Amino acid sequence: MKARTLGRSGPQVSALGLGCMGMSELYGQADRRESIATVHAALDAGITLLDTGDFYGMGHNEMLLAEALAGRPRDSYLLSVKFGAQRGPDGAWLGYDARPQAVKSALAYSLRRLRTDYVDIYRPARLDPAVPIEDTAGAVAELVQAGYVRHLGLSEVGAETIRRAHAVVPVADLQIEYSLISRGIEGAILPACRELGIGITAYAVLSRGLISGHWSADRQPSARDFRQHSPRFQGANLEHNLALVDRLRTLAQTHGASVAQLAIAWVLARGEDIVPLIGARTRPRLEEALGALDVGLGEDDLAAIEQAVPPGAAAGERYAPAQMAMLDSEKR
């Protein structure tokens, strides 16, 4: 497994990370046994970065990871944990809480669920508009000083917020959506991170399966699948976006690769400071994703991909309007 370093102050991690949210919710039914087997396969393949959140299944994902990691040396993997999202007993989203006391309380519960003494990267899932980012970053800095956290991370915030947090304590990485059809970070956010020496952990590199090559126009998401309400998966938007996938499929075939492998390889090629998070829930999907590491893309290949799927080519926003409004990274 190739390795990359998360910014100037962050840890060395595998070139691909494993995003574990789908093993608990939001993408339809997941199989517990297969999820654990997939985590084991990822670790055995050399993946060291595991991403979760305390609100994924209201703690379910952290407990699932604890079960999967039982018996593994703690220094053989890194845990990236998001906090702050508030949910009701029915699973409803209630907002965000990133007050210093809430940060510390949330970590106490995460440590218990994960059965560990520390997490490697701790990050607010979204910017809490009621709390200055300096206060949230300062609370994480105190947890770093106490040994409960190794590094501060951020998620879905804009360049100004990144600078303000980084002035309090070095930020290891920014977790944010980045794919061939979600390139908004290239304007101001990615340059700011590179200026400050902050790494990028890119999630939704396959746009939640849309550009994986496995989605079809007649596929119906289940009632509990996030994609049922995602603008890019609706009606004419979906038809337009799947036409982009067909263009990628033609290019992928010239490399003897799948569409998913080409799309992941493109993100890998955007810079050594970017680590794609793979949301694989099964071993076959994980194995396919790992194959992206063997897809070499030269300048001509990248130019051909850009021509097939230029910036802004996708139809529809990446989230529904209510969720888009919560993204500091989307504010202009």
Side-chain angles (χ1 to χ4, degrees), residues 4 9 11 15 24 31 46 59 63 69 82 84-85 134 136 139 142 153 166 176 193 219 240 261-262 275 322 327:
R4 294 187 168 185
S9 66
S24 293
D31 181 271
M63 292 187 288
L69 295 170
K82 289 182 287 297
E134 290 86 353
T136 304
E142 292 177 10
H166 193 69
I176 195 163
C193 286
R219 181 172 171 179
H240 172 90
Q261 288 169 340
L262 185 72
V275 175
L327 299 177

Side-chain angles (χ1 to χ4, degrees), residues 268-312:
L268 284 165
R270 301 306 288 177
E272 290 289 323
D273 53 350
I274 298 175
V275 175
L277 294 174
I278 306 304
R281 297 188 295 166
T282 65
R283 284 167 287 181
R285 289 289 185 261
L286 173 66
E287 184 177 358
E288 180 184 21
L290 289 168
L293 295 167
D294 298 321
V295 179
L297 298 177
E299 292 300 321
D300 291 344
D301 299 315
L302 294 171
I305 294 171
E306 291 271 339
Q307 185 175 8
V309 184

Side-chain angles (χ1 to χ4, degrees), residues 25 51-63 80-87 93 97 102-103 105-111 113-114 122-123 125:
E25 63 173 351
D51 182 76
T52 185
D54 61 13
F55 52 95
Y56 291 170
M58 283 71 78
H60 175 274
N61 202 241
E62 291 179 319
M63 292 187 288
S80 166
V81 181
K82 289 182 287 297
F83 66 87
Q86 304 297 292
R87 303 184 68 177
W93 300 91
D97 189 351
V103 173
S105 177
L107 180 65
Y109 285 91
S110 284
L111 292 176
R113 286 188 292 261
L114 287 164
Y122 202 45
R123 70 183 82 246

Side-chain angles (χ1 to χ4, degrees), residues 247-259 261-263 265-266 291-292 294-305:
R247 298 181 196 173
L248 290 176
R249 184 174 285 108
T250 300
L251 293 173
Q253 289 170 351
T254 66
H255 289 275
S258 69
V259 177
Q261 288 169 340
L262 185 72
W266 180 87
D294 298 321
V295 179
L297 298 177
E299 292 300 321
D300 291 344
D301 299 315
L302 294 171
I305 294 171

Side-chain angles (χ1 to χ4, degrees), residues 1 18 37-48 50 286 290:
M1 173 60 67
L18 183 65
T38 301
V39 173
H40 290 168
L43 294 170
D44 293 341
I47 287 179
T48 60
L50 304 174
L286 173 66
L290 289 168

Side-chain angles (χ1 to χ4, degrees), residues 206-229:
L206 297 178
S207 197
R208 302 169 180 83
L210 180 58
I211 60 172
S212 67
H214 301 297
W215 200 268
S216 62
D218 58 355
R219 181 172 171 179
Q220 295 297 320
S222 66
R224 301 180 68 179
D225 192 318
F226 161 84
R227 292 166 292 195
Q228 187 181 45
H229 308 289

